[in-house]
């Protein structure tokens, strides 16, 4: 993935006629053939969207359908091999873009990646306890240890399960407050984009978004861990949803 | 330009359809029968029979007859060992390789057996176009449907079957989605649709949003091992428990036929007779309820994946022969809180949709567009036998994903990659799709090469893999050997093989046509005799001795149907047609009157 912001001038070259095209168009302005997917551009520009975080769901859906209608492989079945390939690549990229941008959190993570602010690796991000969560995580781990001891000494499910549920409550509350903070930062980001704010101002907001996202992912992992603990009593360890 | 068709390659029955003057149409035989039983039988002289004739041979030569081959597509012997015991034909194979099925004196892979069925459908369609006076009746291209929950190996096996049959497979599409296309033609739907597809061997649920002519699948789920076959097995167990478990293969097939008839009867009536013993619908429902309830879990999961409550679904569409069972309709209706649709024939709707898709591909018509998803997550094995997911389930296809690998040892030039499909965390709990070696990595210190492997799922839901070393920009060649599939060379060889085995000659074909027509007459007559209103009709409308004459003519046809004298079969069949003409008229008049008085025929 190219991470440098793409200028909106001629960056694609038509393999059919050699003409140039802006990064956010899909068909050659000269010869009208579908363009081979280049290495420039990003999900936002591909969908014709500004690099902002509040996007109405209906808007994304409508753009997705309209673009699918333009270059889905169905409509290039009898075209030349080059056009078929371009249609397949462009449709795949569209579907990936749609899947990422339609989810608010994935959208923020993608923006951070574009702006070179992403966590170096997901593993690294989830292992380190974010400083803001140290207190909660410490308390939760103490409580989890106590519950495990209780279970090991044969406590009934109706004793330890409610205790586990109670241990989850503060983490759940933390998640909700994080969602609100993320929403607020997203709106701030959009106003910065609208008024063409300085790089320093943008960097400041991106840094905060990055912290909140890392914390949020950490919280999600904690909650998933509690969920597993809850389900491990009695029934099967994991529900098998695949039937191959 | 040659014609394109849509094919529903089913577990129990297969169909072929095409778009005629803008209207999707199923192609029928001379007797008006659209269904080709997915059964293949090999005669001692090497002749292959497909369809109704093979179905008859199931009763006389069960060891030389293969059915439900779809259950073996894309499978290894270790997947099917338990089940294989239930079939009269031989199933073998080496662990890690493709299943082999004994048919007559040879062994075939499941794609080869499926190819014989596809070739029969191709033949049927070509015959139809020739009869219509088409200058070029040949069929070279087709869209073939598969269960939405089929994995990559099963899809690839289906595509291989098409190639072996001499067809260019334009696209593999999912059965429930195909059905929604066929329904979409009748009305201009907008909204959320659930398609519940319970066929002979597989179950699918797909949730779609339809808007501006775009049919977008939001989520899909299912069970590729749950269908009418399993219901038949439950009933067979009931019979065998009473009659003894060890029965000759011929007897087993007789029981199977009786069981299927009883199942059909109980969809219309409250009770029927199963091999001399009465069985009520209530007993039947108690027996099959756990099976039907197994379909509800995937329904709930698909709804959850689509982030919907059952009540948000605007319409529920039923597909597949097993949705004729009243209990299925009731439980589906309860789950979604609305009466499911079943205006179109559940056996035919998938083939109709496949024909629509073939027409879209051929003509580039942009009125409708199908956007489907991949049913299962795709991942690769990482350290510790854990799967790292690269493309998540329910991603719209075509889709891509990539992962970057490096080396662990200095100057290492190859990396092993294991591709899996499924939702579980551990490698061993998922389906192995392929293992391959990435070669040609330039020698560098450990950890320095950056090999990017790109996974592409195409619009048919089939995976391909490319790789590139990012530092040197060297493209890698990847030889993907599918875990349970055929190599291109094998497919090529099978294609040639199939030419060497000539089809049944013309006379044999005429005989089969005569038998098929006679069998259609037998079925229609038996259905009339079993109809709830028959007794009343016999009393009030039939002449003296008419009932007896029908029964005698019916017995005549059944007696001669397996003879080789075509004219004798035709003569008896015509006699039966004559004997039942009056009865058919009476029944037709009654249903017309019922329709005019606003009641459905079933209520009369």
């Amino acid at each position: 993935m190219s991470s440098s912001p793409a200028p909106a001038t001629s960056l694609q070259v038509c393999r059919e006629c050699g003409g140039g095209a802006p990064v956010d168009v899909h068909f050659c302005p000269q010869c009208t053939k579908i363009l081979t997917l280049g290495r420039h551009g990003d999900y936002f520009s591909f969908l014709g969207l500004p690099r902002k975080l509040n996007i109405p769901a209906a808007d994304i859906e409508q753009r997705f359908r309209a673009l699918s209608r333009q270059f889905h492989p169905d409509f290039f079945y009898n075209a030349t091999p080059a056009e078929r390939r371009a249609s397949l690549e462009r449709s795949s990229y569209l579907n990936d873009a749609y899947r990422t941008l339609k989810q608010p959190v994935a959208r923020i993570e993608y923006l951070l990646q574009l702006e070179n602010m992403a966590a170096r690796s997901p593993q690294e991000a989830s292992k380190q306890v974010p400083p803001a969560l140290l207190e909660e995580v410490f308390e939760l781990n103490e409580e989890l240890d106590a519950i495990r001891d209780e279970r090991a000494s044969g406590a009934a499910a109706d004793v330890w399960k409610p205790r586990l549920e109670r241990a989850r409550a503060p983490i759940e509350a933390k998640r909700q407050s994080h969602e609100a903070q993320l929403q607020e930062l997203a709106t701030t980001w959009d106003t910065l984009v609208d008024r063409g704010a300085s790089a320093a101002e943008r960097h400041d907001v991106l840094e905060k978004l990055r912290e909140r996202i890392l914390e949020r992912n950490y919280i999600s992992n904690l909650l998933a861990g509690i969920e597993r603990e809850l389900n491990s009593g009695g029934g099967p360890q994991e529900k098998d949803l695949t039937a191959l | 330009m040659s014609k394109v068709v849509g094919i529903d390659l089913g577990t129990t029955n297969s169909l072929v359809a095409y778009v005629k003057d803008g209207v999707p149409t199923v192609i029928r035989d001379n007797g008006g029968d659209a269904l080709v039983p997915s059964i293949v039988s090999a005669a001692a002289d090497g002749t292959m029979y497909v369809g109704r004739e093979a179905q008859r041979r199931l009763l006389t030569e069960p060891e030389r007859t293969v059915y439900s081959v779809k259950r073996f597509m894309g499978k290894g012997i270790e997947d099917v060992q338990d089940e294989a015991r239930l079939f009269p034909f031989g199933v073998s194979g080496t662990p890690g390789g493709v299943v082999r099925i004994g048919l007559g004196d040879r062994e075939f892979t499941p794609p080869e057996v499926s190819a014989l069925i596809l070739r029969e459908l191709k033949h049927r369609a070509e015959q139809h176009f020739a009869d219509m006076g088409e200058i070029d009746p040949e069929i070279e291209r087709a869209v073939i449907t598969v269960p939405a929950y089929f994995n990559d190996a099963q899809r690839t096996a289906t595509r291989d079957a098409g190639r072996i049959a001499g067809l260019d497979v334009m696209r593999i599409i999912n059965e429930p989605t195909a059905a929604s296309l066929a329904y979409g033609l009748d009305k201009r739907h907008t909204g959320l649709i659930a398609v519940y597809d319970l066929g002979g061997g597989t179950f699918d649920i797909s949730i779609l949003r339809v808007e501006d002519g775009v049919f977008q699948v939001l989520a899909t789920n299912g069970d590729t091992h749950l269908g009418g076959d399993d219901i038949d097995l439950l009933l067979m167990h009931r019979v065998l428990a009473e009659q003894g478990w060890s029965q000759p293969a011929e007897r087993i097939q007789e029981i199977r036929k009786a069981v299927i008839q009883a199942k059909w009867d109980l969809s219309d009536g409250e009770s029927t007779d199963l091999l001399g013993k009465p069985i009520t619908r209530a007993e039947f429902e108690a027996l099959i309820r756990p099976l039907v309830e197994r379909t509800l879990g995937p329904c709930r999961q698909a709804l959850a994946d689509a982030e919907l409550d059952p009540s948000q679904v605007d319409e529920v569409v039923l597909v597949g022969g097993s949705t004729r069972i009243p209990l299925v309709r009731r439980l589906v209706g309860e789950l979604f809180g609305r009466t499911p649709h079943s205006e179109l024939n559940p056996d035919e709707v998938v083939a109709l949709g496949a024909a629509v898709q073939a027409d879209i591909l051929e003509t580039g018509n942009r009125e409708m567009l199908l956007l489907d998803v991949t049913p299962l997550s795709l991942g690769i094995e990482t350290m510790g036998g854990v799967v790292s997911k690269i493309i998540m389930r329910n991603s719209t296809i075509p889709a891509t994903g990539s992962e970057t690998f490096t080396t662990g040892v200095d100057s290492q030039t190859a990396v092993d990659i294991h591709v899996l499909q499924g939702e579980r965390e551990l490698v061993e709990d998922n389906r192995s799709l392929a293992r391959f070696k990435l070669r040609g990595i330039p020698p560098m210190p450990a950890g320095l090469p950056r090999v990017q492997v790109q996974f592409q799922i195409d619009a048919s839901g089939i995976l391909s893999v490319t790789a590139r070393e990012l530092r040197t920009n060297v493209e890698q060649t990847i030889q993907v050997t599918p875990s349970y599939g055929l190599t291109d060379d094998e497919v090529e060889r099978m294609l040639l093989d199939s030419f060497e085995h000539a089809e049944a000659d013309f006379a044999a074909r005429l005989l089969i046509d005569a038998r098929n027509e006679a069998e259609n007459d037998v079925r229609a007559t038996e259905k009339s005799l079993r109809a709830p209103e028959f007794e009343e009709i016999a009393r009030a409308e039939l002449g003296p001795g008419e009932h007896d004459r029908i029964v005698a003519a019916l017995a005549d046809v059944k007696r001669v149907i397996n003879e080789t004298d075509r004219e004798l079969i035709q003569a008896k069949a015509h006699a039966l047609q004559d004997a039942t003409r009056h009865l058919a008229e009476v029944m037709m008049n009654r249903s017309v009157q019922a329709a005019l008085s606003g009641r459905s025929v079933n209520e009369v």
Side-chain angles (χ1 to χ4, degrees):
Chain A
M1 176 61 52
S2 162
S3 51
S4 55
T9 46
S10 188
L11 269 173
Q12 299 190 88
V13 177
C14 175
R15 298 234 174 124
E16 195 69 29
C17 70
V23 71
D24 55 352
V25 305
H26 308 289
F27 293 85
C28 175
Q30 281 84 39
C31 72
T32 73
K33 294 280 192 214
I34 186 166
L35 289 160
T36 306
L37 192 62
R39 295 214 173 173
H40 299 283
D42 58 65
Y43 291 163
F44 290 99
S45 62
F46 193 87
L47 282 166
L49 290 164
R51 202 177 277 191
K52 286 159 69 172
L53 292 173
N54 287 304
I55 313 172
D59 190 14
I60 293 186
E61 300 290 345
Q62 191 272 329
R63 283 167 194 266
F64 170 66
R65 282 198 302 273
L67 289 175
S68 293
R69 271 187 177 284
Q70 285 186 41
F71 43 70
H72 192 274
D74 275 12
F75 309 130
F76 292 84
Y77 180 76
N78 283 321
T80 63
E83 286 174 276
R84 287 175 72 159
R85 190 181 163 84
S87 142
L88 176 64
E89 287 177 357
R90 221 160 252 281
S91 293
S92 301
Y93 192 82
L94 169 65
N95 292 338
D96 297 347
Y98 165 70
R99 190 167 49 254
T100 305
L101 295 191
K102 78 173 170 182
Q103 306 163 37
V105 172
R107 197 186 300 156
I108 296 172
E109 287 176 328
Y110 181 70
L111 174 73
L112 291 171
Q113 189 189 324
L114 280 183
E115 303 282 348
N116 275 329
M117 297 287 284
R120 257 143 290 165
S121 76
Q123 287 86 352
E124 181 192 28
S126 60
K127 274 190 188 118
Q128 231 167 13
V129 183
L133 293 173
L134 272 174
E135 201 178 316
E136 282 86 354
V137 171
F138 182 75
E139 276 175 23
L140 176 70
N141 281 336
E142 294 233 301
E143 185 66 8
L144 282 180
D145 281 344
I147 293 171
R148 282 190 201 112
D149 287 347
E150 202 173 58
R151 290 179 67 184
S153 55
D158 60 350
V159 175
W160 61 263
K161 277 203 174 175
R163 195 168 167 192
L164 200 55
E165 295 280 5
R166 278 195 303 278
R168 171 159 72 178
I171 310 289
E172 189 67 56
K174 200 84 184 171
R175 169 156 80 179
Q176 278 170 21
S177 84
H178 263 78
E179 297 291 342
Q181 289 175 42
L182 275 174
Q183 181 54 51
E184 202 175 303
L185 284 167
T187 306
T188 311
W189 168 260
D190 287 358
T191 44
L192 293 187
V193 173
D194 282 341
R195 68 176 165 83
S198 71
E201 273 181 285
R202 288 174 183 234
H203 188 271
D204 187 44
V205 175
L206 290 171
E207 193 66 60
K208 286 185 179 139
L209 274 168
R210 179 174 183 272
E211 273 171 39
R212 291 297 96 77
I213 285 284
L214 285 177
E215 285 164 14
R216 184 189 179 281
N217 291 347
Y218 196 88
I219 291 170
S220 295
N221 285 342
L222 284 180
L223 287 170
I226 295 174
E227 197 64 34
R228 269 200 298 277
E229 198 100 12
L230 269 174
N231 292 331
S232 69
Q237 279 279 331
E238 230 175 332
K239 218 169 110 199
D240 186 1
L241 293 172
T242 62
L244 289 175
Chain B
M1 193 168 288
S2 68
K3 297 273 183 192
V4 296
V5 295
I7 292 175
D8 174 3
L9 184 59
T11 309
T12 317
N13 292 299
S14 298
L15 298 85
V16 56
Y18 73 112
V19 173
K20 180 187 182 182
D21 306 326
V23 181
T25 312
V26 166
I27 298 176
R28 297 167 197 282
D29 68 6
N30 295 334
D33 194 0
L35 305 180
V36 173
S38 304
I39 306 177
V40 179
S41 183
D45 65 2
T47 310
M48 288 289 181
Y49 294 98
V50 179
R52 293 270 171 232
E53 180 65 16
Q55 191 174 40
R56 281 189 288 273
R57 291 172 57 88
L58 197 52
L59 294 175
T60 54
E61 296 199 57
E63 288 92 353
R64 305 185 69 92
T65 307
V66 170
Y67 60 93
S68 293
V69 66
K70 190 171 177 178
R71 289 199 155 194
F72 299 94
M73 294 287 269
K75 296 288 175 86
I77 186 69
E78 54 272 37
D79 302 321
V80 296
Q81 235 143 19
D82 288 343
E83 187 178 22
R85 285 200 296 271
L86 303 170
F87 291 96
F89 46 87
V91 178
S92 62
T94 46
V98 184
V99 168
R100 307 270 160 178
I101 290 173
L103 177 55
D105 309 313
R106 286 181 60 197
E107 286 200 328
F108 292 85
T109 60
E112 287 175 288
V113 178
S114 297
L116 291 167
I117 299 166
L118 288 172
R119 207 167 52 167
E120 177 68 21
L121 294 165
K122 181 174 184 274
H123 179 93
R124 171 178 285 204
E126 286 171 348
Q127 186 67 51
H128 173 80
F129 291 130
D131 289 349
M132 284 176 45
E134 293 281 340
I135 299 155
D136 179 12
E138 200 179 338
I139 313 275
E140 283 161 1
R141 288 173 298 160
V143 168
I144 303 178
T145 62
V146 295
Y149 218 54
F150 253 22
N151 65 28
D152 183 80
Q154 293 167 305
R155 285 167 197 272
T156 307
T158 304
R159 191 182 54 184
D160 289 345
R163 287 166 62 195
I164 295 167
L167 288 168
D168 171 7
V169 181
M170 306 167 83
R171 182 70 58 80
I172 299 283
I173 66 169
N174 294 330
E175 287 156 11
T177 336
S180 74
L181 270 187
Y183 263 92
L185 283 179
D186 292 344
K187 303 170 223 157
R188 283 276 150 232
H189 288 288
T190 290
L192 293 163
I193 301 178
V195 184
Y196 178 101
D197 181 356
L198 189 60
T202 59
F203 167 67
D204 282 325
I205 175 79
S206 286
I207 314 285
L208 294 99
R209 180 169 47 218
V210 181
E211 202 162 341
D212 315 329
V214 177
F215 291 63
Q216 185 188 353
V217 178
L218 302 177
T220 197
N221 212 294
D223 188 335
T224 58
H225 223 125
L226 177 59
D229 277 5
D230 300 286
I231 290 171
D232 302 346
L233 276 177
L234 283 178
L235 281 171
M236 284 180 74
H237 279 200
R238 184 186 146 109
V239 173
L240 291 173
E242 285 174 9
Q243 302 198 352
W245 293 92
S246 126
Q247 303 275 353
E250 287 81 0
R251 177 66 188 150
I252 297 270
Q253 291 310 319
E254 272 171 36
I255 295 172
R256 193 165 158 263
K257 192 178 173 190
V259 148
I260 292 170
Q261 186 61 56
K263 175 177 77 173
W264 291 347
D265 289 349
L266 290 171
S267 288
D268 294 329
E270 285 298 328
S271 68
T272 191
D273 173 276
L274 174 55
L275 296 164
K277 297 227 169 186
I279 176 169
T280 65
R281 187 189 282 177
E283 285 174 89
F284 175 64
E285 291 189 346
L287 191 67
I288 68 166
R289 185 176 259 272
L291 261 184
V292 180
E293 282 177 345
R294 260 174 63 197
T295 65
L296 301 180
C299 290
R300 293 194 189 97
Q301 184 64 53
L303 283 165
D305 286 352
E307 295 174 22
L308 293 171
D309 286 326
S311 63
Q312 288 173 276
V313 171
D314 297 306
E315 288 173 65
V316 181
V317 172
L318 295 180
V319 183
S322 301
T323 61
R324 289 203 175 87
I325 296 172
L327 179 68
V328 172
R329 293 172 176 242
R330 218 161 57 231
L331 291 185
V332 175
E334 280 169 18
L335 176 67
F336 289 98
R338 64 190 60 246
T339 310
H341 277 273
S342 50
E343 291 91 15
L344 295 181
N345 182 332
D347 290 323
E348 296 182 359
V349 63
V350 169
L352 293 174
V356 172
Q357 181 67 38
D359 189 62
I360 289 172
L361 293 174
E362 183 60 20
T363 62
N365 171 6
R366 294 190 185 218
E367 267 174 49
M368 284 194 289
L369 172 62
L370 198 63
L371 298 174
D372 219 316
V373 299
T374 182
L376 298 158
S377 300
L378 183 84
I380 44 166
E381 177 168 354
T382 58
M383 303 257 273
V386 173
V387 178
S388 158
K389 285 180 187 167
I390 293 174
I391 298 177
M392 300 300 283
R393 75 162 184 267
N394 292 323
S395 296
T396 306
I397 52 172
T400 52
S402 69
E403 182 82 16
T404 309
F405 294 88
T406 189
T407 50
V409 180
D410 286 349
S411 301
Q412 186 180 339
T413 57
V415 177
D416 283 312
I417 293 179
H418 187 193
V419 188
L420 299 122
Q421 211 168 20
E423 309 311 320
R424 303 282 296 273
E425 274 184 32
L426 296 180
V427 166
E428 62 199 43
D429 297 327
N430 291 285
R431 183 69 177 173
S432 168
L433 290 185
R435 289 172 189 274
F436 58 86
K437 217 180 235 317
L438 266 182
R439 295 174 197 281
I441 300 169
M444 279 188 255
L448 208 58
R450 296 185 61 74
V451 183
Q452 191 185 48
V453 180
Q454 174 98 8
F455 298 86
Q456 168 84 61
I457 298 181
D458 68 12
S460 292
I462 293 178
L463 172 73
S464 59
V465 185
T466 51
R468 176 180 295 278
E469 204 289 307
L470 296 176
R471 293 190 196 279
T472 54
N473 211 20
V474 174
E475 179 107 23
Q476 311 284 318
T477 38
I478 300 176
Q479 185 68 48
V480 181
T481 314
S483 301
Y484 298 97
L486 304 168
T487 64
D488 280 355
D489 288 348
E490 283 173 312
V491 169
E492 202 64 33
R493 200 165 60 239
M494 288 168 180
L495 178 63
L496 297 176
D497 276 356
S498 68
F499 282 120
E500 288 167 21
H501 294 268
E503 289 175 47
D505 67 15
F506 189 62
R509 202 159 258 294
L510 286 178
L511 173 63
I512 290 169
D513 287 346
R515 282 182 185 164
N516 287 347
E517 271 187 66
E519 191 160 289
N520 285 337
D521 295 337
V522 167
R523 267 209 310 273
T525 308
E526 285 181 336
K527 193 174 175 204
S528 303
L529 295 180
R530 276 199 315 272
E533 68 270 30
F534 177 75
E535 265 183 49
E536 193 200 321
I537 294 173
R539 192 163 19 82
E541 314 224 22
L542 296 190
E546 189 171 354
H547 185 185
D548 292 342
R549 281 197 299 279
I550 294 172
V551 171
L554 179 65
D556 275 352
V557 177
K558 286 168 97 166
R559 184 167 49 77
V560 303
I561 199 161
N562 282 322
E563 304 269 331
T564 50
D565 184 345
R566 176 170 65 91
E567 285 177 4
L568 176 67
I569 296 169
Q570 279 176 331
K572 294 298 179 193
H574 290 155
L576 177 61
Q577 285 164 15
D578 289 342
T580 55
R581 186 158 295 128
H582 175 233
L583 172 63
E585 277 169 16
V586 171
M587 295 192 93
M588 177 63 78
N589 284 338
R590 289 171 72 99
S591 37
V592 168
Q593 270 165 12
L596 288 178
S597 65
R599 289 185 298 165
S600 94
V601 185
N602 291 338
E603 290 172 88
V604 179

